Amino acid sequence: MAGPEWQSLEQCLEKHLPPDDLSQVKRILYGKQTRNLDLPRKALEAASERNFELKGYAFGAAKEQQRCPQIVRVGLVQNRIPLPTSAPVAEQVSALHKRIEEIAEVAAMCGVNIICFQEAWNMPFAFCTREKLPWTEFAESAEDGLTTRFCQKSRDIYHKADCGHTQKLIFDRWRYPLLPNLTKAEVFPRRGTHTELFGNLGHPVFQTQFGRIAVNICYGRHHPLNWLMYSVNGAEIIFNPSATIGELSESMWPIEARNAAIANHCFTCALNRVGQEHYPNEFTSGDGKKAHHDLGYFYGSSYVAAPDGSRTPGLSRNQDGLLVTELNLNLCQQINDFWTFKMTGRLEMYARELAEAVKPNYSPNIVKEDLVLAPSSG
Amino acid sequence: MAGPEWQSLEQCLEKHLPPDDLSQVKRILYGKQTRNLDLPRKALEAASERNFELKGYAFGAAKEQQRCPQIVRVGLVQNRIPLPTSAPVAEQVSALHKRIEEIAEVAAMCGVNIICFQEAWNMPFAFCTREKLPWTEFAESAEDGLTTRFCQKSRDIYHKADCGHTQKLIFDRWRYPLLPNLTKAEVFPRRGTHTELFGNLGHPVFQTQFGRIAVNICYGRHHPLNWLMYSVNGAEIIFNPSATIGELSESMWPIEARNAAIANHCFTCALNRVGQEHYPNEFTSGDGKKAHHDLGYFYGSSYVAAPDGSRTPGLSRNQDGLLVTELNLNLCQQINDFWTFKMTGRLEMYARELAEAVKPNYSPNIVKEDLVLAPSSG
């Protein structure tokens, strides 16, 4: 098991493979090549000063006769917690706001239209401890809590910023999509875990001027039907803000969000935390191991996947980072027309079969061995 | 675009990466390491003489107190067509039977319990030409056609073979699972394509002494709900016999079947053809390119994925091959207990939402921008 010091798959492959082999390996692993985005020098300098990785890629799409390109830039943020979990709650929140602001400013310089933060970004990922205090104190009102106000203030800053781009950071429009995150803090632990299954709100999609977006929180990525239902409701970009550690899920990470992009002809954005978070009280993780003070390390590796099966390289496994990705939303319809998974997905049949399957007396469609053996030999 | 001469991802990584990096790359790409199977020398020799690749891997599982291990060996066969597509139909079928027999004999030596052939394995993949003749002549009766009889005969041979193993090749039990393949030939082109969506038979699962198995044919792998419904019906191993070419799908290939194994706590077996198939009459592929005599090359790369997110390396991109993989079916329940995707998948909600979504007057759950903007700033 590599520790966090092992930086990334991409960095390793680029270091060791000859150019021709590298291009084949990347084609098989990552599909059609993404273009490197030419990011403003001042953004790159700011990222370097502020000590986070900044990468930019663009997915292409075919030119169409009847529609203009629908270009959107998304920003994915991964970060560690700046203060120890033992610091006063208000200081932790404030330090997180400050860090996010540093990164989001650079996103603004890069012309990012929609920014997404990691799951439970305004707190340490304290759920793993199963302690109530002081973590419930991170809960905030989604109406006018500190974090909501921070987002509103940030929006105003970026609207006024002169970054050489038309700035339209949709922090305001992110208010609703942020709700699940805030709600998670807010309701924890009163409604228990698995709020990432999105409570009872169904699968809403948010129509913004930068496309129809949805948020599938963390564990929700493991259920293909969550992704599907957002897609059925028209999502073109589905964000998956997550918090997951190496030992648990690292080999599944590149698969699930990417499969969702392929299966649903949409873009998916998978974000993960980085770093290790140390807690004052010991806790166990139900894995037969001794009590410990941290869950393990969050391996970052945030990436964006496209409907044509391609994806960006990941951010690093161990640094704060901002991944700027330019999407042409026309690609969703183009791939829909090409692969037609939406047209050929037999939703009626699944709806019928699922409705049967959830009945208490459901009898699975199993053909028993003796039936299979019945025919006489030839 | 690499041609078929580029052998495989695994071979390239093994050649160039230092051991420490290789093990990290493999961990991230393939998850928990599979064990190499110690295959009988005579099987390896036979494979070499008969000019096909033979690889063997085993997935582990934890020891349990209340259940014995449920060990099953599956064999995945990928092969090119031995004769040109212009040869008389009966000769082509006979050559394919002979080739499959050569490979299946080696599978028997390796103690394989369940063998799966590629999609439409008893014919060239002529669907791409959209010609009717002579391809409809490959259609056979699933009751007593040549291919059904070949399978029955082979079963008898393997039951008598002395290979130093308890031989229980379930060719007979494969009769039903084979039906979809045979049916595909049989019904083509009368019922059109997409029979891989399995007609109107729903998602049957076959209870055999080697576990509950299902067959999700080719294009069906693109629909997460196909995999899910087999799993709902109890499948522990889902085979996906396919035929797909490099330019079309190679970056999606490692993702889809593997995601299905993860999401459904089961094993999935993804098989693809190899080689290029040349047709006498020109045809077009609706891709704006000139008419051609072949579809492209089938890139092989067959693999098995496990519920814990791990997978075997793939067979090569360009050679006939047999992938022998030992599964411990206990892993399905173990991962189910650990990750609980089945328990947490809210099938009732999806059934309800899908039933709504398929109505002609369905109104997608879309929150419009002005609603999102409505709240006053803080």
Side-chain angles (χ1 to χ4, degrees):
Chain A
M1 175 64 59
E5 69 287 351
W6 201 81
Q7 195 185 332
S8 76
L9 183 65
E10 294 78 7
Q11 187 249 18
C12 173
L13 298 178
E14 273 160 23
K15 182 169 163 195
H16 294 292
L17 298 185
D20 280 0
D21 282 317
L22 180 63
S23 89
Q24 292 313 328
V25 166
K26 282 193 167 175
R27 182 183 66 83
I28 290 176
L29 289 181
Y30 288 161
K32 195 176 168 186
Q33 211 184 337
T34 47
R35 181 167 57 80
N36 284 327
L37 269 186
D38 199 16
L39 298 174
R41 174 191 298 265
K42 92 184 215 194
L44 292 163
E45 283 169 0
S48 167
E49 278 162 24
R50 298 170 189 188
N51 198 26
F52 66 87
E53 185 185 18
L54 171 60
K55 295 278 184 187
Y57 305 98
F59 293 105
K63 211 173 159 178
E64 299 183 16
Q65 293 187 34
Q66 303 280 46
R67 293 193 303 181
C68 295
Q70 299 182 72
I71 305 294
V72 173
R73 284 197 180 186
V74 296
L76 278 59
V77 180
Q78 66 178 38
N79 61 284
R80 53 186 72 226
I81 52 173
L83 291 186
T85 61
S86 54
V89 165
E91 287 178 27
Q92 290 188 58
V93 172
S94 163
L96 276 159
H97 285 181
K98 185 164 168 299
R99 182 56 170 159
I100 289 295
E101 188 158 17
E102 286 175 350
I103 300 176
E105 271 175 9
V106 174
M109 295 176 199
C110 296
V112 161
N113 304 117
I114 308 177
I115 193 163
C116 187
F117 310 133
Q118 64 200 17
E119 182 187 26
W121 62 275
N122 56 339
M123 60 182 294
F125 200 71
F127 308 107
C128 57
T129 66
R130 297 190 304 288
E131 301 272 6
K132 306 294 189 280
L133 288 169
W135 319 121
T136 49
E137 300 217 44
F138 283 91
E140 294 185 30
S141 157
E143 279 308 307
D144 60 0
L146 275 180
T147 296
T148 300
R149 276 187 274 156
F150 163 76
C151 290
Q152 287 165 337
K153 187 196 75 175
S154 302
R155 172 203 58 192
D156 297 338
I157 292 169
Y158 302 123
H159 275 186
K160 283 178 207 142
D162 173 18
C163 312
H165 285 271
T166 307
Q167 289 308 326
K168 292 202 174 178
L169 267 151
I170 57 166
F171 269 123
D172 44 356
R173 291 173 194 84
W174 264 91
R175 199 181 159 284
Y176 262 68
L178 270 174
L179 271 178
N181 276 342
L182 295 170
T183 304
K184 175 153 192 172
E186 200 177 7
V187 301
F188 178 84
R190 289 193 291 282
R191 292 193 207 158
T193 54
H194 298 316
T195 50
E196 53 262 55
L197 294 174
F198 221 92
N200 293 315
L201 296 178
H203 295 85
V205 166
F206 301 91
Q207 171 89 58
T208 77
Q209 71 182 105
F210 302 109
R212 291 188 300 272
I213 65 179
V215 187
N216 186 11
I217 299 180
C218 197
Y219 190 91
R221 75 181 177 281
H222 302 307
H223 294 113
L225 270 147
N226 272 328
W227 302 98
L228 175 85
M229 287 313 307
Y230 290 119
S231 164
V232 164
N233 284 331
E236 294 162 307
I237 313 171
I238 308 176
F239 293 92
N240 175 233
S242 294
T244 183
I245 60 162
E247 209 165 335
L248 197 60
S249 65
E250 196 164 357
S251 67
M252 295 153 65
W253 181 250
I255 305 295
E256 293 165 301
R258 192 166 166 207
N259 189 72
I262 295 169
N264 300 299
H265 305 316
C266 66
F267 291 94
T268 59
C269 302
L271 298 81
N272 187 23
R273 295 166 93 89
V274 280
Q276 218 149 348
E277 303 180 357
H278 190 275
Y279 293 94
N281 295 344
E282 277 196 324
F283 61 96
T284 56
S285 296
D287 55 3
K289 291 187 186 146
K290 288 199 170 166
H292 33 250
H293 288 274
D294 67 80
L295 183 62
Y297 67 92
F298 299 100
Y299 55 81
S301 308
S302 304
Y303 70 97
V304 179
D308 65 357
S310 64
R311 57 158 283 186
T312 67
L315 288 179
S316 86
R317 297 174 71 249
N318 51 23
Q319 292 177 65
D320 288 11
L322 168 65
L323 176 64
V324 177
T325 308
E326 186 174 292
L327 323 174
N328 181 343
L329 298 184
N330 284 2
L331 190 62
C332 301
Q333 184 60 51
Q334 288 174 17
I335 298 297
N336 194 358
D337 290 340
F338 179 78
W339 271 113
T340 69
F341 301 154
K342 281 199 177 173
M343 187 178 78
T344 54
R346 298 171 70 183
L347 299 192
E348 298 87 345
M349 178 177 68
Y350 302 133
R352 205 170 55 236
E353 290 186 18
L354 277 176
E356 285 303 309
V358 297
K359 291 182 182 165
N361 60 349
Y362 177 61
S363 169
N365 186 347
I366 294 182
V367 182
K368 291 276 163 48
E369 193 165 34
D370 53 345
L371 284 180
V372 181
L373 279 167
S376 63
S377 67
Chain B
M1 174 63 60
E5 70 287 352
W6 203 81
Q7 194 186 328
S8 76
L9 182 66
E10 294 77 8
Q11 186 251 21
C12 173
L13 297 177
E14 273 160 23
K15 181 169 163 194
H16 295 292
L17 298 185
D20 281 1
D21 283 316
L22 181 63
S23 89
Q24 294 312 329
V25 166
K26 281 192 168 176
R27 182 184 65 84
I28 290 177
L29 290 182
Y30 290 160
K32 195 174 168 188
Q33 211 183 337
T34 48
R35 181 167 57 80
N36 285 328
L37 270 186
D38 200 17
L39 298 176
R41 175 191 297 265
K42 89 185 215 193
L44 292 163
E45 284 169 0
S48 166
E49 276 161 25
R50 296 169 190 190
N51 198 25
F52 66 87
E53 185 184 20
L54 171 61
K55 296 278 186 188
Y57 305 98
F59 293 104
K63 213 174 156 176
E64 299 183 16
Q65 293 188 35
Q66 303 281 45
R67 294 192 302 180
C68 295
Q70 301 181 72
I71 305 294
V72 174
R73 284 198 181 186
V74 295
L76 279 58
V77 180
Q78 65 177 38
N79 61 284
R80 53 186 73 226
I81 51 172
L83 291 187
T85 62
S86 54
V89 165
E91 286 178 27
Q92 290 188 59
V93 173
S94 163
L96 276 158
H97 286 181
K98 185 162 169 301
R99 183 55 169 161
I100 288 296
E101 189 159 15
E102 286 176 351
I103 299 175
E105 271 176 10
V106 174
M109 296 175 199
C110 296
V112 161
N113 304 118
I114 308 178
I115 193 165
C116 187
F117 310 133
Q118 64 201 16
E119 181 187 26
W121 61 275
N122 57 338
M123 59 180 295
F125 200 70
F127 309 107
C128 58
T129 66
R130 296 191 304 288
E131 301 273 5
K132 307 294 188 278
L133 289 170
W135 319 120
T136 49
E137 299 217 46
F138 283 92
E140 295 184 30
S141 158
E143 278 308 306
D144 60 358
L146 275 178
T147 297
T148 299
R149 276 187 274 156
F150 163 75
C151 290
Q152 287 164 339
K153 187 196 74 174
S154 303
R155 172 203 58 191
D156 297 337
I157 291 171
Y158 301 123
H159 274 186
K160 283 179 208 143
D162 172 20
C163 313
H165 285 272
T166 307
Q167 289 307 327
K168 293 205 175 178
L169 267 150
I170 57 167
F171 269 123
D172 45 356
R173 292 173 194 86
W174 264 91
R175 199 180 160 282
Y176 262 68
L178 270 173
L179 270 178
N181 276 342
L182 296 169
T183 304
K184 175 152 190 174
E186 204 177 3
V187 301
F188 179 85
R190 288 193 291 279
R191 292 193 208 157
T193 56
H194 298 317
T195 50
E196 52 260 58
L197 294 174
F198 219 93
N200 293 315
L201 297 178
H203 296 85
V205 166
F206 301 90
Q207 170 89 59
T208 77
Q209 71 182 104
F210 302 108
R212 292 187 300 274
I213 64 179
V215 187
N216 186 10
I217 300 179
C218 195
Y219 190 90
R221 75 182 176 281
H222 301 307
H223 294 112
L225 271 147
N226 271 328
W227 301 98
L228 175 84
M229 288 312 309
Y230 290 119
S231 165
V232 163
N233 285 329
E236 293 163 308
I237 314 171
I238 308 177
F239 294 92
N240 175 233
S242 294
T244 182
I245 60 163
E247 209 166 334
L248 196 60
S249 65
E250 196 163 357
S251 67
M252 295 153 66
W253 180 250
I255 305 296
E256 294 165 299
R258 192 166 166 206
N259 189 72
I262 295 169
N264 300 298
H265 305 316
C266 66
F267 291 94
T268 58
C269 303
L271 299 81
N272 187 22
R273 297 166 92 90
V274 279
Q276 218 149 350
E277 303 179 358
H278 190 275
Y279 293 94
N281 295 344
E282 278 195 323
F283 61 96
T284 57
S285 296
D287 56 2
K289 292 187 187 146
K290 288 200 172 164
H292 34 251
H293 288 275
D294 67 81
L295 182 63
Y297 67 92
F298 298 101
Y299 55 80
S301 307
S302 303
Y303 70 97
V304 179
D308 65 356
S310 64
R311 58 158 282 186
T312 68
L315 287 179
S316 85
R317 298 173 72 249
N318 50 24
Q319 291 177 65
D320 287 11
L322 168 66
L323 177 63
V324 177
T325 308
E326 186 174 291
L327 323 174
N328 181 344
L329 299 184
N330 284 2
L331 190 62
C332 302
Q333 185 60 51
Q334 289 174 15
I335 299 297
N336 194 359
D337 291 341
F338 179 79
W339 272 113
T340 70
F341 302 153
K342 280 198 178 174
M343 187 177 79
T344 54
R346 299 171 69 182
L347 299 193
E348 298 87 346
M349 178 178 68
Y350 303 133
R352 206 169 54 237
E353 291 185 18
L354 276 178
E356 286 303 310
V358 296
K359 290 182 183 165
N361 60 348
Y362 177 61
S363 169
N365 186 347
I366 293 182
V367 181
K368 290 276 164 48
E369 194 165 33
D370 53 344
L371 283 179
V372 181
L373 280 169
S376 63
S377 66

